[in-house]
Amino acid sequence: MDCWTHELEKASTPEEVMHSANDYLSLWAPRELDSVDLGLAEMRIESVEDIDRVKRSLTTPFVSLQCSPRSGAHLQELASYFWRASTRIQELRA
């Protein structure tokens, strides 16, 4: 398990998940993906509800079609992280 997923697992509140997800997105977008073409440059995690919005944005077919093969792998990893973050928030709220 990577350190980012570990951060999600040890989060004790949805807000901790939100802060971790915001950090994760800000590190990934400029470094590994063409953030402007994929719409990641405009994405911000300012509330817990933004986790689901980003998750949906990352998993749309349009986003996948805009990726190079290399970026596609990174996009899949980023989308998987946001799926887990969303699930973790649901767990914490239950």
Side-chain angles (χ1 to χ4, degrees):
M1 175 185 320
D2 66 44
C3 64
W4 288 103
T5 304
H6 179 70
E7 287 295 315
L8 292 178
E9 299 308 319
K10 73 177 194 171
S12 59
T13 66
E15 289 73 21
E16 287 178 11
V17 173
M18 177 194 70
H19 290 295
S20 183
N22 188 50
D23 291 345
Y24 188 76
L25 180 62
S26 67
L27 291 173
W28 266 92
R31 182 172 57 99
E32 300 292 342
L33 298 169
D34 187 346
S35 60
V36 174
D37 287 347
L38 297 176
L40 297 176
E42 298 84 33
M43 288 187 191
R44 301 282 184 266
I45 308 294
E46 297 173 346
S47 72
V48 173
E49 288 71 30
D50 289 337
I51 301 291
D52 279 332
R53 182 182 52 80
V54 171
K55 176 186 77 170
R56 284 189 308 271
S57 296
L58 292 169
T59 57
T60 63
F62 174 76
V63 170
S64 298
L65 292 173
Q66 299 300 312
C67 288
S68 68
R70 179 178 173 263
S71 291
H74 293 305
L75 179 64
Q76 183 177 10
E77 187 172 342
L78 188 59
S80 293
Y81 175 87
F82 276 89
W83 272 99
R84 181 61 196 130
S86 178
T87 301
R88 182 66 180 139
I89 288 170
Q90 292 172 10
E91 292 170 356
L92 290 167
R93 285 181 169 168

